[in-house]
Amino acid sequence: MATFSVHTYGCQMNVRDSELLARRLRAAGFADAPSEDEADVVIVNSCSVREKAEEKALGKLGMLCAARRDRPGLVVGLTGCMANRLGTDVFGLVPGLSFSVGPRAAGAAITDLVARGLAGERGLFLGDAARAADGAAGEANDAGADVPAGTSAPASFVTILYGCNQRCSYCIVPSVRGREESRDPRAILDEVRAEAARGAKDVTLLGQSVMRYGRMGFAWPEDLPSPMGFTEPLPRLLELIAREVPAVRRLRFTSGHPLGVTPELVRAMRELPAVCAHLHLPMQSGSDRVLKEMRRGYDRARYLDAVRLLREGVPDIAITTDVIVGFPGETEADFELTRSAMEEAAFDNAFVFKYSPRPGTPSAERPDDVADDEKRRRDQVLLADQDARGQRLNDRWIGRTVEVLADGPSLRNAARWSGRTEQNKIVVFEPVPGLARGDFVRVRVESAHPQTLFGAVIR
Ligand code: 5AD
Ligand code: SF4
């Protein structure tokens, strides 16, 4: 029996796709390799969002193909956004690559590609564009459809919206993930139910721009009413899942966009107990001039309004963000506006990215004129700010009792366990006898770090 290993880069959607590919391979009779070094098949699920992520994946693929000197039958495959971005050029960059398959086409094709790779074929390519041209588009060809059995982690993911129609000037996603396509709520419901049956208790609904769910080429099925009177598709979907799948005690959705923060969505977050007081809401910049050049569709005031609406409407909400430093033409004054907006928004956590020009995007036409050193400095300043802010915000949890979904022994110290709160804050605590992964426990918070709470289980 051949064994496989999947190596994942990039976003949660990739993490989910990797999980689904693994389940498909298991269902087809392949087994998980004890380690990547011992696998017969290694699949690299790649990300194109920044150049560094692509370099890492290419380096990895090159190393794997070179390892064939000692492991002659090794099958090396690529999936994810790079498969679409590079097309057949990838076989020039990585000679000996067995196959490359787009993220949407991968689900239906993976077992066949792996079998052909094991039979010695090389250079097989199936992009997502080919999938559409085949007329094979639709649920049945997606990684997310007819998900094979397997166990789910207590915190699991379900993709609800493929692609992205927004045209942020720096972003490669629309060109590698295709047009926006919302999944049918009944297919989503089935998948969430299946996840719950396999042990998932915390489910995050995924989409590159998740608040666009159901806004394009889509009609909500008439036989699915909204007793709470919602008219927008995302609140309706949240209500439907919360009502039909009570075993999913926590529901989240990501990533957000400030223009999607409608009064109705805020009401859904407040009134549906399963929907978590947590939102990842990328801001990207706090400067109106930069936001305009990024084509984000909002200005600083509009973004901060969305934050205010959320804080007023959803008690104890944690808001996290993404920010890019060193966008073309970003001045010191622009950067300071980002700093002050982050402080005003009082983010619980922030991911800071150094701008990376992506081929074919509008902003890549402009000179990448903020020096690397300066990007690094801005990155470090924002991270230091965030550390101080995270500490301040987390200190406010000391003395409170929080509900934690136990995830298992902590990575840093196996004698202690970690889990997450509704706000998605990591909590580290001493396990109590009989505690199992996937249990909800009440923890009294005793101390805090910028990104972690520490406490004791309350019986
Ligand atoms: N350079 C740097 N960061 C980027 N992101 C997207 N495109 C780029 C780019 N070209 C960041 C954004 C997005 C996150 C997933 O990656 O902040 O929210
Ligand atoms: Fe990229 Fe903008 Fe789409 Fe996010 S919303 S994936 S930043 S194009």
Side-chain angles (χ1 to χ4, degrees), residues 11-215:
C11 65
Q12 285 161 322
M13 210 173 279
N14 268 15
V15 174
R16 176 64 178 168
D17 288 349
S18 290
E19 164 70 18
L20 294 177
L21 291 178
R23 288 191 198 172
R24 269 177 203 282
L25 291 170
R26 284 176 208 129
F30 299 100
D32 291 84
S35 76
E36 194 176 287
D37 293 339
E38 294 160 86
D40 300 311
V41 180
V42 180
I43 298 170
V44 174
N45 191 1
S46 62
C47 167
S48 289
V49 85
R50 282 170 296 278
E51 190 177 2
K52 218 190 240 140
E54 288 207 344
E55 281 167 0
K56 278 194 208 156
L58 285 175
K60 178 103 198 160
L61 291 168
M63 251 167 48
L64 287 164
C65 288
R68 282 219 186 89
R69 275 194 294 270
D70 307 315
R71 299 158 73 187
L74 180 65
V75 173
V76 182
L78 172 68
T79 184
C81 293
M82 282 175 74
N84 281 337
R85 196 180 81 72
L86 295 173
T88 51
D89 290 352
V90 73
F91 301 111
L93 295 170
V94 188
L97 186 66
S98 305
F99 63 81
S100 177
V101 58
R104 297 280 311 268
I110 196 71
T111 53
D112 178 55
L113 289 170
V114 165
R116 289 169 67 185
L118 286 165
E121 285 190 60
R122 299 266 196 273
L124 302 166
F125 178 71
L126 185 63
D128 286 346
R131 160 190 165 278
D134 274 357
E139 288 287 332
N141 216 15
D142 292 326
D146 72 73
V147 177
T151 51
S152 300
S156 186
F157 303 97
V158 170
T159 299
I160 66 167
L161 177 71
Y162 300 109
C164 187
N165 280 5
Q166 306 198 42
R167 286 272 179 255
C168 306
S169 62
Y170 52 82
C171 187
I172 191 94
V173 167
S175 72
V176 290
R177 287 263 174 181
R179 307 285 297 165
E180 233 171 71
E181 199 180 317
S182 295
R183 292 183 66 197
D184 187 281
R186 287 162 294 212
I188 295 168
L189 191 59
D190 286 349
E191 196 172 318
V192 174
R193 267 203 194 100
E195 287 302 304
R198 293 175 196 131
K201 302 198 172 146
D202 179 323
V203 170
T204 303
L205 307 177
L206 297 177
Q208 294 294 344
S209 192
V210 77
M211 289 164 173
R212 297 273 313 154
Y213 176 73
R215 298 275 182 181

Side-chain angles (χ1 to χ4, degrees), residues 18 23 32 40 48 51 67 116 131 151 175 196 218 226 228 239 245 251 262 265 294 302 323 342 396 409 413 419-420:
S18 290
R23 288 191 198 172
D32 291 84
D40 300 311
S48 289
E51 190 177 2
R116 289 169 67 185
R131 160 190 165 278
T151 51
S175 72
F218 180 90
S226 167
M228 290 172 72
E239 182 190 11
V245 200
L251 257 183
T262 62
L265 184 67
M294 288 178 164
R302 185 79 195 258
V323 164
M342 290 177 79
R396 303 209 297 215
N413 174 357
R420 289 189 187 250

